[in-house]
Amino acid sequence: MFMSQDGLCSIGELAERAGLTVKTVRFYSDRGLLPEAARSAGGHRRYGPEALGRLRLLRSLRALGLPVREVHRVLDEEDAGERVLEDAVAGQLSELGSQLTALRWREAGLRLVLECPPGERADRLRLIGAVASPPSTAALARFWRGWLPARMPAAATAAFLDAAVPAPPDDPAPSQVLAFARLYALVTRPCTGGEVCQPQAHTAAGPRGPAVLYAGLAQAYELAGGPLRRGAAPYAGEELDCFVDAYASAYGGRDTPDFRRVLLSQLAGDPRIDRYWELVTEVISPPDGPREPTPGSAHDWLFAALGAQTAATG
């Protein structure tokens, strides 16, 4: 309780009780966060007893890192309950998480440059300097949109991108930063010379073919993930049957030994992007942990299984 006759206090007294500077209290007042109760005959600000509690709440909210606009919203809508405060704190936590992720990527990038041989530093700097911290995957998505058939439905494209575009780790090792930078460099260079940028599998199917093909391939790749994680050699089984059926369904054909031989020949002639999948594996797998399967490694395993079966059956 203030001891003045009118129960009010000056800005200096309020600042002293709150443990803040007069400049800070004036800042909050000027922005409408701390209403004054009256003005003295000399024009000086006077504050009521409730100002001290409001000022302490202000200080707490600012200590949590909430920007002034969010503090204003919390105080203005105080009667709406705890929801406004929860939303503001949740938003600040999300923003802080993004900042921490960016710092971890910068730290790993700095370690990458520091720990590499001097002769490689210029190349490393060029690579990581082209990538934001934390990195965006937009360039990878654009790469795949150019690779996928033009007739692919939006839902099928989105499902494929979810599997093909790796989520950058929140706390990367230097090797993962390097792998992502190399991946970015790979997908941003144009097809040149005699490179074939579209596989024949995309043009052989009819209007509905692309969606049918990639839905089936997604199922086959998921099935192949099991033997890949176990380190099993390619074999003819449910995984391969699902893989072949994806192409047969897309082409309106039947899964026969002749179809499998033709498919093997066609897939062998398609352009390959093995380097993309090698780098994806490095991005998503812990440096000292097991290698995580990717659609690319699953495709290679299934292609090898098809080749082994075709060779065995003549």
Side-chain angles (χ1 to χ4, degrees), residues 9 14 36 53-54 57 64 123 128 133 188 204 209 264 273 297 300:
C9 73
L14 180 60
E36 55 198 59
R54 188 177 178 91
L57 177 58
L64 290 173
D123 183 56
I128 65 175
S133 295
T188 52
L264 178 67
I273 47 174
S297 61
D300 289 345

Side-chain angles (χ1 to χ4, degrees), residues 101-310:
T101 299
L103 288 173
R104 293 186 188 109
W105 273 83
R106 287 173 56 190
E107 178 189 21
L110 290 170
R111 287 169 54 199
L112 178 66
V113 174
L114 184 64
E115 294 167 3
C116 76
E120 298 179 14
R121 282 180 181 155
D123 183 56
R124 297 274 174 96
L125 282 169
R126 178 184 58 81
L127 279 170
I128 65 175
V131 180
S133 295
S136 167
T137 58
L140 279 65
R142 283 195 299 271
F143 168 81
W144 281 112
R145 290 184 187 280
W147 174 274
L148 292 170
R151 297 188 299 271
M152 279 274 282
T157 298
F160 181 84
L161 292 178
D162 283 343
V165 176
D170 289 338
D171 190 7
S175 60
Q176 291 172 300
V177 171
L178 180 59
F180 192 94
R182 286 173 171 164
L183 190 60
Y184 179 86
L186 176 69
V187 301
T188 52
R189 70 173 180 83
C191 289
T192 57
E195 287 183 312
V196 180
C197 297
Q198 284 282 337
Q200 288 299 310
H202 293 176
T203 58
R208 291 183 61 253
V212 173
L213 174 62
Y214 278 91
L217 289 178
Q219 185 178 357
Y221 294 159
E222 184 176 354
L223 289 173
L228 275 168
R229 290 186 178 91
R230 298 194 301 270
Y235 59 84
E238 176 190 9
E239 301 86 0
L240 179 58
D241 291 343
C242 185
F243 180 67
V244 175
D245 184 65
Y247 286 97
S249 298
Y251 300 159
R254 290 174 53 247
D255 180 3
T256 65
D258 284 343
F259 180 85
R260 292 195 177 208
R261 280 190 289 272
V262 172
L263 178 61
L264 178 67
S265 175
Q266 178 180 300
L267 293 178
D270 272 345
R272 305 191 62 78
I273 47 174
D274 294 336
R275 184 58 176 156
Y276 179 93
W277 297 115
E278 290 169 2
L279 291 169
V280 167
T281 300
E282 293 180 33
V283 170
I284 66 176
S285 303
D288 300 322
R291 303 286 87 179
E292 285 295 318
T294 66
S297 61
H299 185 93
D300 289 345
W301 189 92
L302 291 161
F303 177 72
L306 179 62
Q309 185 195 51
T310 303

